[in-house]
Amino acid sequence: MGKMKILLGVLVALVGSVFEGVACTGISLTAKDGAYVQARTIEWSRGVLQSEYVIIPRGERLRSFTPTGSNGLSFTAKYGVVGLAVVQKEFIAEGMNEAGFSAGLFFFPHYGSYEKYDPAQNDRTLGDLQAVAWMLSQFASIDEVKAALSSVRIVGLEATSVVHWRLGEPSGRQAVLEIVEGVPHFYENTVGVLTNAPGFEWHLTNLNNYVNLFPGSAPDRSLGEITLQPIGGNSGFLGIPGDATPPSRFVRAAFYRNTAPQRATAFETVQQCFHLLNNFDIPIGIQVPAGEVPDIPSATQWTSAIDLTNRRVYYKTAYNNSIRCIDLKGINFAKVKYGAYPLDKVQEQSVEMIAVGE
C-alpha cells in the first residue's frame, strides 16, 4: 500500500499540472441525413500531453482511484468503449460507447466543487477524471446517468482541479453536468457549445451581450454628412471576442456553430466540425510568459469529432493534422482486449509529395 500511495502522489501531481493548462472548446452539429456529431479540442500549454486512444471491452473490471490509492468504486463494463485519454488510460477525456452514448470532461476551475473525500465510503467513491469511463461503460443515455449519479460520490483526485461534463445521445440531445458544492446540476444544452468556467448558465446569459452580432456585412449608414461603409466582409460580426479565454471562446463557438450551413452527410459534418474548431487552435506563445515557451507546436494538442449516429471516433493532433478514424462497428467488444495506444505512432506531420510533369 505504501508503494501505491507514492505512485498515486506522483500521478496526482502530474494530473494537477495538466489540468491547470487545459482550455477546451466543444461544439456539435447535425447533418441533413440526421447524423449527430460532437466535436472538441483539448489543450495543454506545459509540454507534450501524453494522449492515447483506449479500448474497453464488455465485461472488463475497472476500479477508480481515490486520493489514497486504487481503492475506489469497482465496476464492470456493460458496454464496449472507445475513449481518448490523457496522462494515462484510466483518464478518458472524450469518448463514446457502442450504444452511441458520448461523454467528455472539460476543465472547470474555481466554480465547481465536489463532495469532500471520505475514506469510509471508498466503495462508492469515483475519481472525477474517471467519471467519463464510468458513464460510458455503464450507460446508454443521459437519463440513465442522472438516475445512477446518487449511487456514487465523485471526488477530485487533485485539490485544485475540477471538471464538468458534456453528455450526448445519437438523437442529438446534449446535456451538461456540473457539480457545485457537492450538488449535481444537469442542463439541457440546446446551444450546442461548451467551454470552461464560469458555469454553463452564466455563459448562456453572457450571450445576450452580443445580441448585435449577425452573419454577413453591416449596411451602409449615414453619420451626419458622411456615409459609413464596412471596411471588409463579415462586419456583422464586428466586436466578437477573439481572445482565448473560456467566455470569449464560448461566444465565438456559439456564433460560428449556429451560423454554419447544415451539411448533407455525417462525414461532411465531421469535416465541418474540424474546420470550425481550427479557429480555436491556441498558439503556444500566448499561453505562457515570454521566454517560457515549451517545444511543442500548439497548445491545442488534439481535436476530435465523434459521429454518434454511425459510431465513429475521428481525431487529429498538433503533430499530424491527418484525420484518423476508429469505427466502433468494426470492433468485437466481446473479444477485444483492454488496451491503450498512442494517438500518434510518430509525432510527425505526413506530407503528400506532388510529382509534377509525370
Side-chain angles (χ1 to χ4, degrees):
M1 188 62 183
K3 183 178 180 181
M4 175 58 71
K5 286 184 178 180
I6 292 171
L7 291 173
L8 187 63
V10 173
L11 168 66
V12 165
L14 180 58
V15 170
S17 66
V18 166
F19 280 88
E20 286 175 5
V22 170
C24 309
T25 302
I27 62 172
S28 59
L29 293 172
T30 301
K32 288 181 180 178
D33 66 9
Y36 177 59
V37 179
Q38 289 189 171
R40 59 95 52 84
T41 67
I42 195 160
E43 280 79 19
W44 187 41
S45 60
R46 297 171 181 266
V48 177
L49 180 62
Q50 180 180 318
S51 299
E52 302 173 307
Y53 70 85
V54 179
I55 310 296
I56 302 176
R58 275 182 246 124
E60 185 70 24
R61 191 74 171 172
L62 303 168
R63 187 151 201 167
S64 176
F65 292 108
T66 74
T68 58
S70 182
N71 53 2
L73 178 74
S74 181
F75 53 99
T76 301
K78 180 180 179 181
Y79 299 99
V81 173
V82 171
L84 304 179
V86 294
V87 181
Q88 63 182 67
K89 67 180 185 297
E90 289 84 1
F91 301 154
I92 294 177
E94 186 71 31
M96 176 174 57
N97 66 22
E98 57 185 315
F101 180 61
S102 179
L105 62 82
F106 291 68
F107 188 44
F108 188 45
H110 309 305
Y111 290 86
S113 49
Y114 310 124
E115 292 185 89
K116 185 178 179 181
Y117 171 59
D118 178 4
Q121 301 194 58
N122 273 352
D123 60 345
R124 53 190 294 261
T125 295
L126 177 64
D128 57 348
L129 304 183
Q130 290 167 273
V132 170
W134 174 72
M135 294 175 192
L136 293 179
S137 67
Q138 303 301 299
F139 309 113
S141 72
I142 294 166
D143 287 339
E144 287 181 12
V145 173
K146 282 185 178 181
L149 201 61
S150 62
S151 68
V152 300
R153 300 182 82 250
I154 295 180
V155 303
L157 293 181
E158 202 281 331
T160 62
S161 294
V162 181
V163 301
H164 57 178
W165 297 266
R166 177 182 66 173
L167 315 177
E169 300 175 357
S171 65
R173 182 187 177 194
Q174 184 184 140
V176 175
L177 166 61
E178 295 179 346
I179 299 177
V180 180
E181 296 183 352
V183 179
H185 301 270
F186 284 88
Y187 305 100
E188 296 296 320
N189 188 358
T190 56
V191 75
V193 169
L194 187 62
T195 58
N196 314 104
F200 181 68
E201 286 191 313
W202 183 96
H203 284 291
L204 296 182
T205 300
N206 186 51
L207 288 176
N208 291 296
N209 286 319
Y210 302 90
V211 67
N212 58 299
L213 300 183
F214 59 92
S217 294
D220 295 357
R221 58 168 294 186
S222 296
L223 183 66
E225 296 183 359
I226 66 172
T227 299
L228 303 181
Q229 297 176 317
I231 293 175
N234 190 223
S235 54
F237 269 14
L238 184 64
I240 196 168
D243 60 82
T245 63
S248 296
R249 286 185 285 109
F250 192 101
V251 171
R252 206 158 64 248
F255 278 92
Y256 288 177
R257 180 260 186 194
N258 285 281
T259 56
Q262 188 177 39
R263 298 304 183 192
T265 66
F267 186 64
E268 288 176 302
T269 303
V270 166
Q271 288 180 299
Q272 186 173 53
C273 284
F274 280 117
H275 286 308
L276 291 175
L277 288 176
N278 284 341
N279 293 279
F280 298 88
D281 277 3
I282 299 179
I284 185 61
I286 71 170
Q287 286 289 93
V288 295
E292 297 181 14
V293 180
D295 186 21
I296 55 176
S298 171
T300 302
Q301 303 229 355
W302 51 264
T303 303
S304 66
I306 295 181
D307 177 355
L308 283 70
T309 303
N310 296 294
R311 314 294 197 266
R312 288 185 168 185
V313 174
Y314 298 84
Y315 71 88
K316 65 177 186 175
T317 73
Y319 295 93
N320 186 349
N321 275 276
S322 299
I323 297 172
R324 283 145 281 179
C325 177
I326 304 171
D327 188 347
L328 273 71
K329 292 181 178 178
I331 300 173
N332 184 341
F333 285 106
K335 294 184 177 180
V336 71
K337 300 296 184 182
Y338 178 39
Y341 311 90
L343 294 190
D344 291 306
K345 292 182 179 179
V346 178
Q347 289 181 332
E348 180 178 300
Q349 177 63 51
S350 60
V351 176
E352 179 183 359
M353 300 301 296
I354 304 299
V356 178
E358 294 184 5

